[in-house]
């Protein structure tokens, strides 16, 4: 279990990623990524509800950051892994 302060730090870090993502970041995706969904409307998310046990898992948090960076667009595992490695959210095995 992580402390409430560590949990808040993780949540703030995910929010920081969300603030730093701009529309120009979407143009930086590689050609192998699925860009055919032009009518996609992202669902809202509430990162403040992140459970402490989930915040402990660095890979899970990196996946959340990647989804935030991709504006919560449906993504394949390959797309998420590419985003995680490109932005250095964590080291993948």
């Amino acid at each position: 279990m992580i402390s409430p302060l560590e949990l808040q730090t993780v949540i703030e870090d995910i929010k920081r990623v969300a603030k730093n993502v701009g529309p120009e970041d979407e143009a930086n995706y590689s050609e192998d990524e699925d860009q055919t969904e032009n009518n996609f409307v992202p669902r809202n998310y509430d990162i403040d509800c992140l459970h402490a046990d989930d915040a402990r898992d660095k890979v899970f948090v990196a996946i959340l950051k990647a989804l935030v960076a991709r504006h919560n667009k449906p993504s394949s595992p390959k797309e998420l892994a590419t985003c995680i490695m490109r932005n250095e959210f964590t080291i993948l095995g």
Side-chain angles (χ1 to χ4, degrees), residues 2-86:
I2 66 173
S3 71
L5 181 60
E6 290 172 319
L7 175 61
Q8 190 61 32
T9 302
V10 170
I11 291 171
E12 292 301 321
D13 192 39
I14 294 171
K15 288 180 180 179
R16 179 192 52 78
V17 169
K19 284 182 188 175
N20 291 335
V21 173
E24 67 278 356
D25 292 327
E26 285 189 19
N28 294 332
Y29 296 126
S30 65
E31 285 120 28
D32 64 337
E33 296 180 11
D34 183 15
Q35 298 292 330
T36 61
E37 297 189 35
N38 296 329
N39 59 352
F40 173 72
V41 178
R43 292 183 179 176
N44 292 329
Y45 55 88
D46 184 10
I47 200 62
D48 292 319
C49 295
L50 184 64
H51 193 274
D53 289 339
D54 294 333
R56 255 183 32 201
D57 187 345
K58 292 182 182 183
V59 174
F60 182 71
V61 171
I63 292 169
L64 290 176
K65 289 178 185 179
L67 286 170
V68 167
R70 294 183 53 80
H71 302 287
N72 207 15
K73 178 183 175 191
S75 306
S76 71
K78 182 178 179 181
E79 292 169 342
L80 292 175
T82 302
C83 183
I84 289 168
M85 291 185 296
R86 180 184 302 132

